Amino acid sequence: MAPAIPNCKFPSHSDPRVWLLSSGASPTGIALSRQLLAHGDFIVFGVIPSDTSDSFAGRAADFTAFWTGEVRVKEEWKTRARIVGLDTRNMGQCQAAVAEVVAIFRRLDVLFCCSSQAIVGTVEELSSTSRSTALIRDQFETNYFGHVNIIKAALPSMREKQSGHIILLSGITGHLGTPGLGVYCASQWAIEGFCDSLSYEVAPFNIKMTTVQPNLEINILTNQITAAPQLPQYAQENNPAPLFREIIGGLLDRVDAIATTNESSNGHCGLGKFSSDEIISVYPQLSEGTKSQLLAETVNALAAIGGHDNPPARHIVGHEAVASVKEKLKTVSEELEDFVDVSFAVDLHRQVGDHQQESGEEAQNL
């Protein structure tokens, strides 16, 4: 039985909102839309063909079952939901998706940027071959440029309306570096820096920007994971660092994930190959109960924050995520204090001012 969603801590919404989900077929998109449609909101699901094809059968089956078995059979839902083809890596599709939202529902209130994938591998492993190096570009095309494209496409409509809310689903990896997940973390830091800057630029147009940061596993376990071939120098017996490859392998084993594609075959492959010399891609196959429990806190926060008159610029979800970020900030603060004298020592203007003040005091004492 799925856990009950906790009560919203943010003021509830009385008016329906119009949402565009950049990855409507993702587990997060499906879970969030259930709550939004129940509230009375309008939703346009951005869906790329691979999300509804047989290439990733589990993901396609989940969205098809949701769309045909829930949305289309509820009279009060089906008139408020639409599907639009959307690959955020394609700027033309982003512009067309936003235009369709405005044409159907007359406005776009909330853009939810939730497209994501994770590339697993150390810096050296991702630089060892031309194919593994290409994974870096793939990572940024989805996790950075894709978000930039859909945000740029939405801004003119929101600016004209003098209202709008952009929500980025990131993670605590936007605060914390993770060994073996460096390129993924880099893409998160990049898009968060972009959105932080954007928030100041669009504030005069009454456009709000919120970055939501749940635990690491929210985005990792609900989207595609691709692992680069492992170098022997970074095997567990040779490198004691807590590399993410070993961590994610354990997580996937516990949730009975299945590998859906790799470069040599399209069949299922065991997770033992996650540390092989092949490039492996998997979609974690989670049970409905596991997904509900995993996403409950995040979905609750998103539904409450979306379209809020005064939303937070950054919202960290869950006790574990809050504790991790606090620990990182504590470390930064302690290191700052440890080397504060060194930091001030290079402040030449301060030194000149102190010297002039000392000279003045000496002159007065004469």
Side-chain angles (χ1 to χ4, degrees):
M1 181 179 178
I5 297 177
N7 293 327
C8 297
K9 295 182 180 179
F10 296 89
S12 59
H13 299 272
S14 56
D15 298 327
R17 301 153 290 179
V18 177
W19 293 68
L20 172 58
L21 312 184
S22 70
S23 183
S26 66
T28 304
I30 294 173
L32 174 63
S33 62
R34 286 193 178 103
Q35 189 164 343
L36 298 181
L37 289 169
H39 174 267
D41 290 354
F42 300 84
I43 304 176
V44 174
F45 295 83
V47 177
I48 61 177
S50 62
D51 286 340
T52 55
S53 71
D54 292 334
S55 298
F56 297 105
R59 192 177 180 92
D62 287 346
F63 182 72
T64 300
F66 166 69
W67 184 257
T68 60
E70 296 183 50
V71 177
R72 304 308 297 171
V73 300
K74 296 184 178 181
E75 291 295 329
E76 68 275 18
W77 283 19
K78 65 181 183 181
T79 58
R80 292 185 281 108
R82 296 288 190 278
I83 295 177
V84 62
L86 176 58
D87 185 340
T88 57
R89 296 168 296 185
N90 185 310
M91 186 61 188
Q93 290 189 23
C94 292
Q95 293 170 327
V98 172
E100 187 161 346
V101 174
V102 175
I104 296 172
F105 297 121
R106 301 301 180 187
R107 68 184 193 274
L108 172 58
D109 295 320
V110 186
L111 170 63
F112 179 41
C113 302
C114 55
S115 303
S116 181
Q117 63 168 310
I119 305 299
V120 179
T122 64
V123 172
E124 277 196 284
E125 289 168 346
L126 288 167
S127 307
S128 58
T129 68
S130 58
R131 179 65 186 95
S132 60
T133 301
L135 293 176
I136 299 175
R137 168 59 65 175
D138 294 342
Q139 179 77 101
F140 274 82
E141 286 291 346
T142 298
N143 291 17
Y144 178 75
F145 291 107
H147 293 316
V148 171
N149 287 342
I150 191 63
I151 289 172
K152 286 167 58 179
L155 284 178
S157 172
M158 290 182 171
R159 179 165 36 80
E160 181 180 1
K161 182 171 161 286
Q162 291 287 298
S163 177
H165 189 189
I166 300 168
I167 303 178
L168 169 70
L169 182 64
S170 179
I172 59 171
T173 42
H175 277 288
L176 312 172
T178 303
L181 208 59
V183 173
Y184 176 80
C185 291
S187 69
Q188 299 286 73
W189 287 51
I191 191 59
E192 288 201 18
F194 171 87
C195 290
D196 282 353
S197 302
L198 175 70
S199 64
Y200 294 103
E201 298 170 1
V202 299
F205 307 121
N206 195 34
I207 300 174
K208 310 298 196 306
M209 179 75 228
T210 297
T211 298
V212 176
Q213 296 178 315
N215 288 332
L216 175 66
E217 60 267 21
I218 299 299
N219 257 343
I220 298 291
L221 292 182
T222 58
N223 290 289
Q224 181 176 324
I225 307 168
T226 300
Q230 186 176 41
L231 293 176
Q233 293 85 349
Y234 290 94
Q236 194 170 23
E237 60 271 18
N238 298 326
N239 190 323
L243 298 179
F244 190 74
R245 186 188 301 272
E246 310 302 331
I247 298 172
I248 191 63
L251 285 174
L252 291 173
D253 284 337
R254 285 197 292 273
V255 298
D256 296 323
I258 57 172
T260 54
T261 63
N262 59 51
E263 287 192 332
S264 61
S265 70
N266 290 323
H268 302 310
C269 63
L271 291 173
K273 291 188 177 181
F274 216 50
S275 299
S276 73
D277 58 357
E278 297 178 335
I279 293 177
I280 302 294
S281 291
V282 304
Y283 267 120
Q285 194 70 17
L286 310 179
S287 68
E288 285 300 318
T290 299
K291 282 186 287 190
S292 296
Q293 185 174 5
L294 184 67
L295 295 171
E297 291 180 326
T298 302
V299 166
N300 177 62
L302 291 167
I305 292 172
H308 197 276
D309 291 336
N310 187 29
R314 179 171 273 98
H315 181 68
I316 300 170
V317 183
H319 295 288
E320 183 180 341
V322 170
S324 298
V325 173
K326 280 186 175 181
E327 185 63 29
K328 172 62 182 292
L329 295 176
K330 178 184 176 183
T331 301
V332 171
S333 179
E334 290 174 349
E335 289 182 348
L336 182 65
E337 292 301 322
D338 288 342
F339 291 91
V340 68
D341 292 337
V342 178
S343 299
F344 288 165
V346 298
D347 193 342
L348 300 181
H349 295 291
R350 182 187 178 97
Q351 290 181 11
V352 171
D354 290 345
H355 178 71
Q356 291 176 343
Q357 182 178 358
E358 291 175 358
S359 299
E361 291 175 351
E362 291 177 357
Q364 291 177 358
N365 293 331
L366 293 177

